[in-house]
Amino acid sequence: MEQILILRIYKTIVGIAGILGNGLVCVVICKVSAMQTRTNAFIFHQAVVDFLGSTLTLLQSEVPLPDPLPNSSLGIFICTIWNSNFVLFLLFVISTFNLLSLTMERYFAIVHPFKYHAAFATRPWLKLGLIFAGCWLLAVAIKSYVAVIFEFPNGKCVARDIPGSQVMGILTAVMQYALPVVVMFFAYIRISVELKRGAARVGPAPMAASSAPTTSNDDASHSAPGMMESLLKARQNTFKMLLIVFITFVVCWTPNQFLFFMFNAGWVVHDKWYYLLSVALVATNCCVNPVIYAFKYRQFRNAVQDMFGRRQHNHIDQLNSISLRIKTNGAIKILKG
């Protein structure tokens, strides 16, 4: 249980919000067929991992632990796995690598579309599964170092002195934070440049004069540019949403990774209030993504409306209005005839 009352309240709120928000994202993607795309598969995986991370944050905040720790296997587990935040940060790092994978999926889809389509031409869902499995395996390989940092001599949980721990700790910080941030940063720059080029190539949509009749040939000539413009706008919307997700990730993770770096440089921080606050800030990253989707991801908002029936009712009203106009026009023609 979290001993600092303010942090306990904050982590409890974060945990509950993360469970509800990420649970909603998972349900929407599963229920609405229009959301079942490759990009949204990464978002679904992100929501599942963040759901688990939010659940564990809530449990660590509210579940009381024995004090002192029992001098048994339970005490060893609490010290090396629970108190060390091994499982919690394992989920956080999996979320990081999934965000990296999602960014690179968008990078190849926009910057190298031919390579992207060739890569997913056969068995796309199997390849997505392998990518997700790779996120988990890589995270386990990196965070296994955390599981051996602490030891439990004579019933006390203390940080042990491991030969080469400074090098391993710095390497861990680079692999789980610095390297993904650098790769995603340059990927977003490249995507931004490519989207601007695409906008310049498409240009503004052609506007037909109101007094001129529209022929079927005109419709055919304008349909392709219109589709390209719609695709470009959809990509720009997704890009803006993911960019906000990336910026939020950097804000939430940077303080904790700085303190983790200082810990491996010899500064004891794992039981300080500011380190605990940094862990709570990382946990915040698990609950904030659904909020970003709700405000910045148009496809997700539409899917939520579809699931709750609002858009369906709008479509029915539109169809009824069109049907009424057709019947009215037909009646007028009959009277004129």
Side-chain angles (χ1 to χ4, degrees):
M1 178 184 294
E2 178 60 61
Q3 299 301 317
I4 302 176
L5 180 59
I6 296 178
L7 283 181
R8 180 184 176 186
I9 295 173
Y10 179 77
K11 291 172 70 174
T12 299
I13 295 173
V14 165
I16 294 174
I19 291 172
L20 295 177
N22 289 292
L24 175 63
V25 173
C26 293
V27 171
V28 169
I29 294 177
C30 288
K31 291 290 186 180
V32 181
S33 57
M35 289 289 291
Q36 295 168 8
T37 64
R38 280 194 287 268
T39 300
N40 289 333
F42 286 94
I43 293 178
F44 177 82
H45 183 238
Q46 187 92 22
V48 170
V49 176
D50 288 346
F51 178 89
L52 296 175
S54 298
T55 302
L56 194 57
T57 298
L58 180 62
L59 292 176
Q60 286 191 338
S61 176
E62 296 298 330
V63 175
L65 297 176
D67 187 22
L69 297 178
N71 192 11
S72 62
S73 57
L74 177 60
I76 296 174
F77 172 81
I78 294 174
C79 175
T80 59
I81 303 298
W82 193 263
N83 285 350
S84 67
N85 289 321
F86 167 73
V87 178
L88 185 64
F89 271 91
L90 174 65
L91 294 170
F92 291 162
V93 173
I94 293 171
S95 179
T96 298
F97 287 132
N98 185 79
L99 179 59
L100 174 62
S101 301
L102 172 56
T103 301
M104 298 313 296
E105 188 268 346
R106 287 292 82 202
Y107 169 79
F108 281 102
I110 295 173
V111 180
H112 302 289
F114 295 108
K115 293 181 180 179
Y116 173 80
H117 290 296
F120 287 100
T122 58
R123 299 182 178 180
W125 296 107
L126 174 61
K127 293 174 181 178
L128 288 176
L130 293 176
I131 293 174
F132 299 153
C135 292
W136 284 76
L137 293 175
L138 187 57
V140 169
I142 291 176
K143 298 311 294 181
S144 59
Y145 163 73
V146 176
V148 299
I149 289 180
F150 296 94
E151 59 183 350
F152 194 61
N154 302 321
K156 294 183 179 181
C157 188
V158 296
R160 70 170 72 188
D161 185 15
I162 302 176
S165 60
Q166 292 183 352
V167 176
M168 286 297 300
I170 293 173
L171 182 61
T172 299
V174 170
M175 291 294 294
Q176 73 182 13
Y177 173 74
L179 185 59
V181 166
V182 170
V183 172
M184 285 189 285
F185 177 74
F186 284 102
Y188 282 118
I189 291 177
R190 189 69 180 86
I191 292 172
S192 177
V193 172
E194 188 63 29
L195 287 176
K196 288 182 179 180
R197 290 178 180 175
R201 287 193 297 265
V202 173
M207 299 295 294
S210 59
S211 59
T214 302
T215 65
S216 59
N217 291 335
D218 292 333
D219 292 338
S221 64
H222 295 329
S223 61
M227 291 178 61
M228 291 179 62
E229 186 178 7
S230 298
L231 177 61
L232 182 62
K233 288 182 178 180
R235 286 180 169 179
Q236 288 174 340
N237 175 254
T238 305
F239 167 75
K240 292 176 182 178
M241 179 269 296
L242 292 178
L243 182 61
I244 295 175
V245 170
F246 169 68
I247 294 173
T248 305
F249 164 80
V250 173
V251 171
C252 291
W253 269 82
T254 299
N256 177 266
Q257 289 306 289
F258 172 76
L259 293 176
F260 182 72
F261 179 86
M262 297 303 297
F263 169 77
N264 288 282
W267 188 15
V268 179
V269 298
H270 68 277
D271 58 349
K272 305 297 184 181
W273 68 268
Y274 44 81
Y275 173 76
L276 299 177
L277 178 61
S278 73
V279 175
L281 189 59
V282 174
T284 305
N285 193 56
C286 289
C287 76
V288 75
N289 286 343
V291 179
I292 297 174
Y293 301 152
F295 283 97
K296 300 301 295 183
Y297 194 18
R298 186 179 299 111
Q299 187 184 22
F300 177 75
R301 294 199 304 270
N302 293 340
V304 172
Q305 292 176 0
D306 283 339
M307 192 177 71
F308 289 101
R310 291 176 57 187
R311 280 172 58 86
Q312 184 177 0
H313 293 318
N314 291 337
H315 291 329
I316 293 175
D317 292 339
Q318 291 175 2
L319 290 175
N320 290 336
S321 177
I322 293 172
S323 177
L324 179 61
R325 287 200 301 268
I326 292 174
K327 291 179 180 179
T328 303
N329 292 335
I332 293 172
K333 290 180 180 179
I334 292 173
L335 291 174
K336 288 182 177 180

